[in-house]
Amino acid sequence: MDVNEKVHDLVKLYDVDEAVVGDINNPKDVAAALQGIESVLYIPTSGLHNETHSAKVVIDQAVVAKVKKFVMMSAMHPNMSTLLQHTAKLKAEEYLVYKGLTDNLNYTILQPQHYCHNFDIDLVEKLGAYHCFYNKNTKLAVVDVDDVADAAYCVLTQDIHQNATYELSGSSYLSSQEKTDIYNKLTGKNIPCIEVGIEDFIKQIHVTDTYTQDALRAVSYTYGTFGIAGNPNVLQWITGKKATIFEEYLQKQLAKKASLEQA
């Protein structure tokens, strides 16, 4: 597939007017993507071993392009040092803060919690179980990606968020077993929640990159040992509405699936 085909596919997939394909670590490619852009929502690719470097490239080019607003998607509690990707995001946040001070870059940092969509109903139905690669009884706060998108929209379109760092969490604080129980209650099914060893999980999803393997091991240890908590107040203040609870998220996904099947 050539570059033009990739651009066409991206435009169609995301229903946008324009797309640019390039190397995020190449300043020239990033500069080309930022031409004529006033506001940036930077969402880094998950699991990059050089995530901090990539963020620095984008931030530097945003300064050069004189963008009026730079919003970076990070992660809840980037100071949790047992999570490799969080450490990378913390360093990227630090770099952005300094650039805000030295170059007057108007920035906002968004720190979303663990996403509801990690409970994938299509995969659950395909496997006949919810597979969890950490302790199924530790609790994690979760957030609906639609709520995060609403928060990002508000930050991008309002002029009151400069120099802010916002934690974005939902109000549901659940274990994998509890999420599975909610799914069963809504569907009338009786699927089990099954713990899968991290090494088996890495093999199942065919991860060969050593950094990503280590990052997944760190997630398994941290989630399984501690879980992650969060508070919905900031998200609700930004969006002006209640955070979606996990049960509402599942109801929405199940309704969408039923609608597609009937179409």
Side-chain angles (χ1 to χ4, degrees):
M1 181 183 293
D2 63 21
V3 172
N4 289 331
E5 288 178 308
K6 288 182 181 179
V7 169
H8 177 270
D9 288 347
L10 286 170
V11 168
K12 184 177 180 181
L13 177 63
Y14 293 107
D15 191 24
V16 295
D17 294 328
E18 185 179 358
V20 176
V21 175
D23 180 356
I24 200 169
N25 296 302
N26 186 329
K28 290 183 178 179
D29 286 355
V30 176
L34 293 178
Q35 277 191 346
I37 300 299
E38 293 189 353
S39 298
V40 173
L41 175 60
Y42 176 58
I43 307 174
T45 301
S46 178
L48 287 181
H49 72 280
N50 60 345
E51 182 176 333
T52 303
H53 172 75
S54 300
K56 289 180 178 180
V57 171
V58 177
I59 293 165
D60 285 343
Q61 292 307 311
V63 170
V64 173
K66 295 183 173 16
V67 302
K68 295 181 179 179
K69 187 175 292 188
F70 189 95
V71 180
M72 182 167 73
M73 202 68 72
S74 181
M76 178 77 77
H77 307 320
N79 56 342
M80 291 183 73
S81 60
T82 55
L83 292 165
L84 300 188
Q85 71 274 30
H86 282 220
T87 299
K89 293 178 190 299
L90 180 63
K91 292 178 180 177
E93 286 189 17
E94 179 187 40
Y95 191 78
L96 179 56
V97 169
Y98 278 120
K99 279 296 181 179
L101 294 170
T102 59
D103 295 270
N104 197 31
L105 179 61
N106 178 347
Y107 76 86
T108 309
I109 298 169
L110 301 180
Q111 299 176 328
Q113 184 55 278
H114 186 78
Y115 285 113
C116 291
H117 64 225
N118 285 297
F119 190 100
D120 184 337
I121 63 171
D122 289 331
L123 184 59
V124 164
E125 292 180 7
K126 178 182 177 181
L127 297 176
Y130 177 54
H131 288 182
C132 174
F133 64 97
Y134 48 89
N135 186 334
K136 66 180 182 180
N137 294 310
T138 53
K139 294 179 181 286
L140 279 73
V142 292
V143 68
D144 186 345
V145 69
D146 289 344
D147 288 352
V148 174
D150 288 344
Y153 174 81
C154 291
V155 168
L156 286 164
T157 57
Q158 298 169 357
D159 294 324
I160 59 172
H161 302 289
Q162 185 169 356
N163 305 322
T165 300
Y166 295 138
E167 293 186 348
L168 304 180
S169 177
S171 55
S172 297
Y173 184 50
L174 301 165
S175 68
S176 294
Q177 182 62 62
E178 288 171 327
K179 284 184 272 190
T180 306
D181 292 342
I182 292 171
Y183 172 85
N184 286 333
K185 183 185 76 171
L186 291 175
T187 61
K189 297 181 180 179
N190 189 31
I191 69 156
C193 179
I194 299 174
E195 287 185 25
V196 179
I198 182 57
E199 300 306 324
D200 289 334
F201 179 77
I202 288 171
K203 291 177 183 176
Q204 284 177 11
I205 61 174
H206 309 294
V207 173
T208 57
D209 174 78
T210 55
Y211 173 82
T212 305
Q213 289 178 351
D214 286 342
L216 286 169
R217 292 183 184 107
V219 169
S220 177
Y221 167 75
T222 304
Y223 285 8
T225 305
F226 309 105
I228 293 186
N231 185 297
N233 287 348
V234 173
L235 173 64
Q236 294 174 161
W237 168 73
I238 294 172
T239 63
K241 63 181 184 180
K242 284 279 190 181
T244 303
I245 64 172
F246 184 72
E247 184 168 347
E248 292 169 338
Y249 168 79
L250 280 186
Q251 288 172 330
K252 181 172 59 175
Q253 295 304 112
L254 289 166
K256 186 184 298 183
K257 181 178 176 64
S259 178
L260 289 173
E261 290 175 347
Q262 292 172 4

